[in-house]
Structure formats: structure tokens, C-alpha cells
Amino acid sequence: MPETTTLSGAALPTAAGAPAGHTVVEPAVPLLSVDHLTVTAFSPDHDGEVTLVDDVSFHLGRGETFGIVGESGSGKSMTCRSVLGILPAGVHTAPGSAVSFDGTDLLGLSDKQWMSLRGTRIAAVFQDPGSYLNPSMTVGAQLVEVLRIKGGLKRRQARERALELFGDIGLRNPTAVFRQYPFELSGGMLQRVLIAIAISGDPDLLIADEATTALDVTVQAEVLDLLAELQERTGLALVVVSHDLAVVAQVCERVMVMQSGVVVESGPTKEVLHDPQHSYTRELMRAHAEYGLERWDEERP
């Protein structure tokens, strides 16, 4: 029998990777369910398959914020790419893995089915915004194109909506930004443009995979505040992926810590930071204390 923790009178199975002492919090009706996800790849160096993600499980409800933290190679990005259906060539999910979104089996979708889902109901923002934008097109034209293809808007409607979105994500003088090319914008402005593109389809789920890593500390805080504001205003579910506990601490209600493809700890963010159970989590906290975890801990209600 799995160990259980009582929460609000209901006995819930302890989540994988959640050691005794952390409250188990599961949404009543999950929007996203990841169960026993295992991701493998062929490695000629090992003369066979290697495991990149090993038996990872977590659930996310509508409007929740969830953090996945770990160093490079911990499996956090592969976990998210499995959810997004964009695993690299030669990498695949193993039998027994299950990923569902609002009742839809994501692992069984065809490319055509993914096209209608990704960018509309499920969206993502990644680390290097410049590599996801066409350098030969203005950022306004690129957003208009997405709105016309994904949203079915006429050109004038798409332009009006694009300007509205640029204003919503905090770009000063949206009309001027609309006419600029990616190379004319700062890293923080480019990331805001990508966020505008990501939310243009009014998604239910937004995955921010290392979206603030390349930004300086001040701009990073501004982008995190923007994501939190969008989540609160629109009610979207938000997954924040980072190597930095201070990043997920700023915006996430719950956190999952990964090491070498395995979940080593999970639970409410405040509990994990107050009382880390795993030596790897404690090491991450020591390594990133200088980035503000202690101040966050003092200010968090």
C-alpha cells in the first residue's frame, strides 16, 4: 500500500518523490496529468537505450502555478518537451508512460492533432527568444501571422489584437515595437514578444522553460512578475522550469525537484524551502541563496 497523507479529511497517495513531512496537494480535477513518464534515447556510447527521465508523475489543476527545478541534465526540459510533443529525434517515451491534457491522451496524438492543440490550448516560452523569431520580419508581422493562422482573424483584426497584446505584456509604445525587427529589441523585450505570441491563442496551459535564464536579474524579475500577473488575470495554468530555486519560489505554489531524470522531492514551495528533505535540494538552496531565496522567505506570507 502506498504511504498516504491526510489533507482536508481526504487520504491521498503520497506523490512520487514527495518524502514524508511534505503536504501532498493534488488538484481535484487535473488539467494536466503526467503519470510514470519515462523518456529514453539510443546512445551509441552505451550501446543501447539510456534513460533521460525516469518514472516522473505530477498533476496540475486549472489556474495553478507549478515549478520544476534542477540542474542541466536533470530531465526537467525533456519532461516538458514530452508534454508539448516536441521530443528530439531519437528520443521517445517508454511504454507505461501517460500524459493527458483535459482528458486527451497527448502521447497518442498525430502531428495534425498536435497542430490544432499546440499554440492554442497549450503554449510555451523558451530560453533564447531570438532563435524563435524570424530575423527578416518585424515582430508585429510575426504576431499578426500567428493570430491569422491560429485565430482565424482578418488582417486588420489581427493587427489591432497584436497591438493590444503588446500593451498587455507591458511593452511601452506598442505601435513602435510592432514595426521593429528582433535585432532592434533587447532580450527582455524579445521575451515579452514571445510571451505575447504564446498567449495569443488564450491557452489553458503555459510552459515557461528557462524563460528568464538569459536575462539579467532586474529584467528576470520583471518577466516573472509578468507571468504571475498573466496567470492571475487569465486563469491559465503555469509551469515554470528553471535551474534556480529562487525563480520558482517567486511565482510557484508547488515545486518538483529533479536530479538525473528522477524526482527527488516535491511539495508546496514554502514547505520545500522551509524544510528540504533531500540533500540535493539543500545543495541547490545553498548554491542559489545569493539570488534572493532568503529575502523571498522573509517576505512570503
Side-chain angles (χ1 to χ4, degrees):
M1 289 289 292
E3 183 181 355
T4 62
T5 299
T6 301
L7 179 64
S8 302
L12 301 175
T14 300
H22 288 326
T23 305
V24 178
V25 181
E26 292 285 355
V29 181
L31 174 68
L32 174 68
S33 295
V34 176
D35 294 294
H36 306 293
L37 175 66
T38 297
V39 180
T40 62
F42 178 77
S43 172
D45 294 337
H46 294 81
D47 196 27
E49 295 284 317
V50 294
T51 300
L52 306 178
V53 174
D54 190 4
D55 196 26
V56 169
S57 298
F58 66 93
H59 297 159
L60 180 68
R62 293 181 182 274
E64 280 197 294
T65 53
F66 184 74
I68 305 176
V69 68
E71 296 173 298
S72 296
S74 63
K76 57 189 189 301
S77 289
M78 283 298 174
T79 298
C80 289
R81 287 180 178 272
S82 299
V83 173
L84 291 164
I86 53 172
L87 286 173
V91 180
H92 54 269
T93 54
S97 302
V99 181
S100 66
F101 174 77
D102 201 15
T104 298
D105 174 18
L106 296 184
L107 300 185
L109 293 184
S110 65
D111 290 342
K112 184 177 180 179
Q113 289 171 319
W114 262 119
M115 287 294 291
S116 65
L117 187 66
R118 192 190 302 119
T120 52
R121 298 198 64 200
I122 302 176
V125 183
F126 297 100
Q127 177 175 344
D128 181 13
S131 64
Y132 292 92
L133 292 169
N134 186 335
S136 64
M137 292 176 63
T138 65
V139 294
Q142 293 183 64
L143 178 51
V144 164
E145 184 176 41
V146 171
L147 288 166
R148 296 190 69 193
I149 294 174
K150 292 289 187 179
L153 300 183
K154 300 294 185 181
R155 186 177 298 276
R156 177 175 293 181
Q157 293 174 316
R159 177 185 170 83
E160 291 173 354
R161 178 59 178 148
L163 291 171
E164 182 181 352
L165 282 166
F166 280 167
D168 287 345
I169 51 89
L171 287 171
R172 297 188 184 92
N173 198 345
T175 303
V177 174
F178 186 95
R179 296 192 296 263
Q180 291 183 295
Y181 290 86
F183 70 87
E184 297 180 289
L185 302 179
S186 67
M189 294 176 74
L190 287 174
Q191 198 60 280
R192 287 174 184 267
V193 168
L194 274 194
I195 292 172
I197 292 173
I199 66 171
S200 63
D202 296 321
D204 298 297
L205 172 64
L206 176 64
I207 297 175
D209 188 355
E210 297 283 9
T212 63
T213 297
L215 307 176
D216 64 49
V217 175
T218 301
V219 179
Q220 175 176 276
E222 291 175 355
V223 172
L224 289 172
D225 286 343
L226 171 61
L227 290 173
E229 179 188 337
L230 287 170
Q231 187 273 335
E232 184 176 352
R233 187 171 76 234
T234 65
L236 59 78
L238 177 63
V239 176
V240 177
V241 182
S242 179
H243 64 276
D244 190 346
L245 266 172
V247 168
V248 299
Q250 184 171 330
V251 294
C252 296
E253 300 162 290
R254 293 187 291 130
V255 62
M256 180 173 79
V257 183
M258 295 186 68
Q259 181 186 31
S260 302
V262 177
V263 177
V264 297
E265 186 157 5
S266 65
T269 305
K270 192 170 183 66
E271 288 189 20
V272 172
L273 295 186
H274 270 168
D275 186 24
Q277 300 292 299
H278 196 276
S279 58
Y280 178 68
T281 309
R282 291 192 291 270
E283 186 61 33
L284 283 179
M285 291 185 67
R286 282 194 293 269
H288 296 294
E290 62 187 283
Y291 295 114
L293 270 174
E294 290 155 343
R295 185 177 68 252
W296 174 89
D297 196 39
E298 292 169 359
E299 296 175 353
R300 188 82 164 183

